[in-house]
Amino acid sequence: MHEPSLPSHPWLLLVEDDPASAVFMTAAATPLPAQVCQADALDEARALCAAHTFDLLLIDVNLPDGHGEDFLRELRDAGIATPALAHTADPDPALHARLRAAGFAEVLLKPIAATTLRAALRRHLPETASPIWDDTDALAALGGQAEHVQTMRDLFLAELPAQRQRIVQAAIHADISALRAELHRLVASCGFVGARRLEQAVRRLQASLLDPDALRALEAAIEEQLTTPAA
């Protein structure tokens, strides 16, 4: 059982007994951003639902100690109305219809691509509104030296247009090595100056290189950063 530890992000409960699938889904969901809490079986999932309030449930249909469909009905009977998605390797349309009738908002067919999974999660997870400039993060990164924060932010903003151009060009030419390097540099810089919202957009593209939606989101975040004064 892996319990949530970052309440600033939406909480996703992943109920999945296959270790490889759990690792894959967690890695795909985390950059959204989301805090993923994973249960290997329904008993663990019940305990987590009793202890925490989640924003979204992602439930395997077949588990060692029961069925996801029955678990969702149990939650609904207990008054827990958290949106839920089912995932299954069974393509049977009748099963999918039954799962939706049981209350699942969507049924995801495995194997599932990371981009498809993230798109489904975005449709149902609440939006997070991280600050454009986070003074607490910047001060922590710079050892509490407030006088250095504005200087670092000025340097960051001066370099950002050129970084944007290099990232876009690397993506256009599918230069994965250059794209990884530029994103690595940018995410590190974001941490030093407290550009938290931009950092999230960078991490989203890092998790899904060459994803056009992630690239557009990064460009929008950069433009927002450039047009918001660094107080």
Side-chain angles (χ1 to χ4, degrees):
M1 183 189 300
H2 309 286
E3 298 199 15
S5 58
L6 294 176
S8 60
H9 296 330
W11 282 7
L12 168 67
L13 174 59
L14 169 62
V15 187
E16 171 59 69
D17 64 304
D18 178 66
S21 294
V23 169
F24 167 76
M25 290 184 175
T26 298
T30 299
L32 288 172
Q35 179 64 24
V36 182
C37 179
Q38 188 248 324
D40 301 323
L42 292 182
D43 278 347
E44 293 182 5
R46 287 187 187 95
L48 286 167
C49 286
H52 303 285
T53 299
F54 291 96
D55 296 293
L56 184 63
L57 311 175
L58 182 58
I59 304 172
D60 193 2
V61 172
N62 293 304
L63 291 151
D65 56 347
H67 297 280
E69 180 182 354
D70 295 332
F71 178 55
L72 184 61
R73 288 199 180 96
E74 179 183 324
L75 294 178
R76 296 296 186 252
D77 289 343
I80 297 174
T82 306
L85 309 181
H87 53 99
T88 177
D90 190 337
D92 182 10
L95 170 64
H96 291 204
R98 194 176 76 233
L99 291 169
R100 286 190 292 270
F104 285 102
E106 293 189 39
V107 180
L108 307 177
L109 182 62
K110 297 187 290 188
I112 183 170
T115 52
T116 302
L117 176 60
R118 279 193 288 269
L121 296 177
R122 286 191 197 103
R123 286 193 289 271
H124 300 281
L125 279 171
E127 294 290 334
T128 56
S130 296
I132 297 174
W133 296 108
D134 190 304
D135 292 340
T136 301
D137 283 359
L139 287 169
L142 296 173
Q145 301 179 65
E147 66 275 14
H148 292 167
V149 171
Q150 191 60 50
T151 299
M152 291 294 293
R153 286 178 173 174
D154 289 343
L155 292 171
F156 174 77
L157 290 172
E159 170 63 13
L160 192 53
Q163 284 184 295
R164 171 172 56 185
Q165 181 66 19
R166 291 194 296 269
I167 289 169
V168 170
Q169 287 301 309
I172 289 173
H173 296 290
D175 188 339
I176 298 298
S177 178
L179 184 57
R180 287 187 191 277
E182 289 296 338
L183 293 175
H184 178 75
R185 282 192 287 269
L186 181 53
V187 80
S189 298
C190 287
F192 277 115
V193 300
R196 188 190 295 183
R197 195 178 302 181
L198 177 55
E199 180 181 347
Q200 290 176 354
V202 176
R203 292 191 184 281
R204 175 181 169 186
L205 185 56
Q206 282 181 314
S208 187
L209 293 171
L210 305 183
D211 178 349
D213 289 338
L215 179 60
R216 282 191 291 269
L218 176 60
E219 291 184 88
I222 290 174
E223 186 62 29
E224 183 179 46
Q225 201 78 46
L226 289 169
T227 56
T228 302

